[in-house]
Amino acid sequence: MPQVFCILDEGGRTLLTKARGDIQIPSFPTVGLLCSISTFSDSAGFSIETLGTKNVQIVYKRFANHLLFVLATSNLLVQPKLLQTLLQMVYDGIVMMLGAAALHIDTPVKIDALRKKLRGLSLIDTLIADDALVPCLMLPAPQVQGLPLRDRSALQTAISKVAAAAQTEYCALLGEGCYLSATPEWWLLQPKEILLLQHIATHAPETADIDMGVYLSVKKYHTPLRLLCLTLDQGVHLLLLCRGELDQGVLHAVIEEHSKQVEHIFQIPVWCMPPLPQFHGITFDLALLVQKQPVPCITLFWGHSSVALPGFNPLVSPTLRRQLQSSAGGSVGSGPSMRSVSFTREAAATDNLQLYYKSCVDMLVSFMLQQQQHSSAGRAAEGHFASRSTDSACVAQGPPQMVHSPTKRMLPSFTFASRHAQAAVQAGGEEVHLLTGGNRLIGLLDSSTHGCDVYAVFNKKTARLDALENAQKLRAVFQMTYAETV
């Protein structure tokens, strides 16, 4: 889909311009026009965040150092608030890669230096181009893979040994873009940093390891830490944050020793349904579970209903997506990797399935962002709502049913629904019910410190009481089998 991204300084000078889709790099006058709109609004005493025409929407975001990010896209279905969040993630990613000092541009020499550095950052391309679901950059916390406690405990022991060999406290293991396990110190990093590191590992090339410097809050963004991203198996990455040189021989020997002890966990097909018999009696299309303690993290479960292929979503696995893109047909993933699969391309690459799952995630993200936005308003209305739940309809722009063309895709608009639902939740209620054009969202919120919030998406035809019962069962099974102190 055509998209233009620009970074401009306070004087309107272009530092970076990117174009995606069937569109050319915009000319200097076009970029100048985009900048002048924001400059005029600032001089008039107000700020502009979004501007739309019949076929384009433009989003602006200016930061404290006066850098202006502009994103123009022909995708009119995604909410401007989501694009604002994306621009913030791009900025945070630049700070992580270049450091805070590089963004203080008060001389022409520094401006030219920053322009050169920005052009060499491949991370920007993956951030603005990323529409995958794992990791979802719009969610407010890093995403973890749901593993039974026994498996996660084994992984925790293994990475602790690896971290000791690398003489660092920061070590994490990711599988198919989701965290499998990490050291306690890793979870003490800022959530946006954990999510960006998750994104870097997900887009790491399978043929080469990553060794680069990153600036993090633990070093006040001034001194870089050494980031090592080592590929253990297809889709399985080990992340280390180190302060100096390592004995590579000793490190690889320890990694090989302990990876053999937990390799059976790597064989779990993370793109399929949860590997527990308790889930067999629970029906849902997509479920998102938010753990608040000891660190915020999010677990996603996919496709456990008859609406889509059972337990299968091509977008949830970065490795599988690459296999589908490179396969000319027939069996997918026929290589020797433990994570190869045997689904046919025709069954796996259906546009209907991808659009359906993407709409489900968009619905969850939209609701969670507006939930944060209206939290203060909800607390103010606490005394005016006594009901524990509400059922609101938002039919004008509902998410898609199983459509036959990407052009028919419609994303949700929660402007009406979330106002009422949020007020009821903030009143001390535990449930929220949203009904859109094609889906039903059930939210079970737990206000306790160690509670677990559940957001489950069902087909619209699912009865409300049946959906609520399945969401309650899902939380109970998750808390008994998956949740733990990470």
Side-chain angles (χ1 to χ4, degrees):
M1 187 168 290
Q3 177 176 293
V4 173
F5 171 71
C6 301
I7 300 179
L8 303 102
D9 67 2
E10 187 177 10
R13 288 163 292 198
T14 304
L15 301 179
L16 181 71
T17 304
K18 297 280 187 179
R20 294 182 58 242
D22 187 17
I23 189 174
Q24 297 180 348
I25 297 289
S27 62
F28 177 77
T30 301
V31 176
L33 177 60
L34 292 174
C35 178
S36 63
I37 295 174
S38 176
T39 303
F40 175 78
S41 65
D42 292 339
S43 63
F46 60 92
S47 61
I48 183 171
E49 293 185 352
T50 182
L51 176 68
T53 67
K54 65 178 182 179
N55 56 3
V56 174
Q57 65 172 326
I58 305 172
V59 177
Y60 296 87
K61 192 170 184 65
R62 190 178 294 276
F63 297 91
N65 56 7
H66 304 294
L67 287 180
L68 176 65
F69 284 21
V70 184
L71 180 66
T73 177
S74 60
N75 185 356
L76 304 181
L77 302 178
V78 63
Q79 294 187 7
K81 198 67 178 178
L82 298 182
L83 297 177
Q84 289 276 343
T85 304
L86 178 61
L87 292 181
Q88 181 65 55
M89 291 300 295
V90 174
Y91 180 82
D92 294 336
I94 293 175
V95 173
M96 175 182 289
M97 301 302 294
L98 302 182
L103 300 183
H104 294 159
I105 47 176
D106 50 4
T107 65
V109 175
K110 291 183 178 180
I111 293 175
D112 292 337
L114 178 59
R115 183 182 289 114
K116 293 179 181 179
K117 291 178 180 179
L118 290 174
R119 290 174 179 174
L121 279 184
S122 59
L123 177 64
I124 297 179
D125 295 290
T126 62
L127 287 174
I128 64 174
D130 185 48
D131 60 352
L133 303 184
V134 177
C136 179
L137 295 172
M138 303 298 102
L139 291 174
Q143 291 108 63
V144 303
Q145 174 62 36
L147 291 175
L149 298 183
R150 181 180 60 182
D151 292 339
R152 186 168 295 177
S153 177
L155 290 176
Q156 185 71 42
T157 301
I159 66 170
S160 297
K161 299 292 184 181
V162 173
Q167 299 181 351
T168 181
E169 302 86 13
Y170 301 100
C171 182
L173 185 67
L174 290 92
E176 295 301 339
C178 286
Y179 282 103
L180 298 175
S181 187
T183 57
E185 289 78 8
W186 186 278
W187 297 115
L188 295 179
L189 299 172
Q190 292 189 10
K192 64 180 181 181
E193 296 173 341
I194 301 176
L195 186 54
L196 283 168
L197 292 170
Q198 181 182 3
H199 178 87
I200 292 174
T202 303
H203 292 81
E206 297 287 347
T207 56
D209 295 331
I210 291 179
D211 187 351
M212 63 183 182
V214 292
Y215 295 82
L216 302 174
S217 57
V218 293
K219 291 291 186 178
K220 307 297 183 184
Y221 303 106
H222 294 303
T223 304
L225 289 172
R226 182 184 179 188
L227 172 64
L228 289 178
C229 180
L230 308 177
T231 301
L232 304 185
D233 185 54
Q234 194 170 25
V236 182
H237 301 281
L238 179 71
L239 293 183
L240 292 164
L241 290 172
C242 312
R243 293 183 174 84
E245 295 297 325
L246 298 176
D247 188 333
Q248 296 286 351
V250 174
L251 177 61
H252 285 284
V254 173
I255 292 175
E256 183 177 359
E257 174 187 354
H258 291 282
S259 62
K260 290 181 179 179
Q261 300 175 5
V262 294
E263 66 180 6
H264 64 282
I265 302 176
F266 298 162
Q267 297 176 2
I268 298 175
V270 297
W271 45 75
C272 293
M273 65 181 62
L276 281 182
Q278 291 94 321
F279 278 86
H280 291 170
I282 305 175
T283 299
F284 57 89
D285 292 344
L286 180 147
L288 183 149
L289 297 100
V290 183
Q291 292 176 258
K292 306 170 187 176
Q293 293 290 339
V295 293
C297 61
I298 293 172
T299 305
L300 295 171
F301 292 117
W302 306 88
H304 204 83
S305 76
S306 58
V307 175
L309 296 176
F312 180 71
N313 172 25
L315 293 182
V316 77
S317 165
T319 296
L320 187 54
R321 292 188 71 193
R322 286 192 289 266
Q323 291 175 342
L324 290 172
Q325 293 169 359
S326 61
S327 174
S331 181
V332 178
S334 57
S337 170
M338 293 183 292
R339 290 181 167 269
S340 62
V341 293
S342 59
F343 290 104
T344 63
R345 182 179 179 87
E346 181 180 0
T350 167
D351 287 341
N352 291 351
L353 183 62
Q354 293 188 13
L355 293 178
Y356 179 74
Y357 275 121
K358 189 66 171 69
S359 71
C360 291
V361 170
D362 287 341
M363 179 169 65
L364 290 172
V365 171
S366 299
F367 176 73
M368 294 181 73
L369 285 176
Q370 293 207 22
Q371 185 183 33
Q372 297 172 0
Q373 183 179 2
H374 296 295
S375 59
S376 57
R379 285 191 294 269
E382 182 173 352
H384 301 284
F385 293 88
S387 63
R388 292 172 57 86
S389 63
T390 184
D391 197 341
S392 303
C394 178
V395 186
Q397 282 187 301
Q401 302 183 33
M402 299 295 283
V403 299
H404 297 286
S405 170
T407 59
K408 295 182 180 179
R409 179 179 172 209
M410 295 292 287
L411 299 187
S413 172
F414 288 102
T415 305
F416 171 77
S418 63
R419 289 175 183 170
H420 297 275
Q422 176 62 22
V425 172
Q426 292 295 336
E430 296 180 352
E431 303 170 14
V432 57
H433 299 259
L434 294 178
L435 190 63
T436 68
N439 302 83
R440 178 184 295 275
L441 170 66
I442 301 292
L444 301 179
L445 289 88
D446 191 337
S447 59
S448 63
T449 304
H450 295 275
C452 176
D453 295 340
V454 177
Y455 299 89
V457 179
F458 305 85
N459 185 269
K460 180 182 179 181
K461 297 180 181 179
T462 305
R464 172 174 168 173
L465 293 180
D466 292 339
L468 177 61
E469 181 181 1
N470 278 280
Q472 293 171 338
K473 289 181 180 179
L474 177 63
R475 178 162 66 180
V477 171
F478 180 82
Q479 289 179 324
M480 289 188 297
T481 315
Y482 286 98
E484 70 160 348
T485 302
V486 294

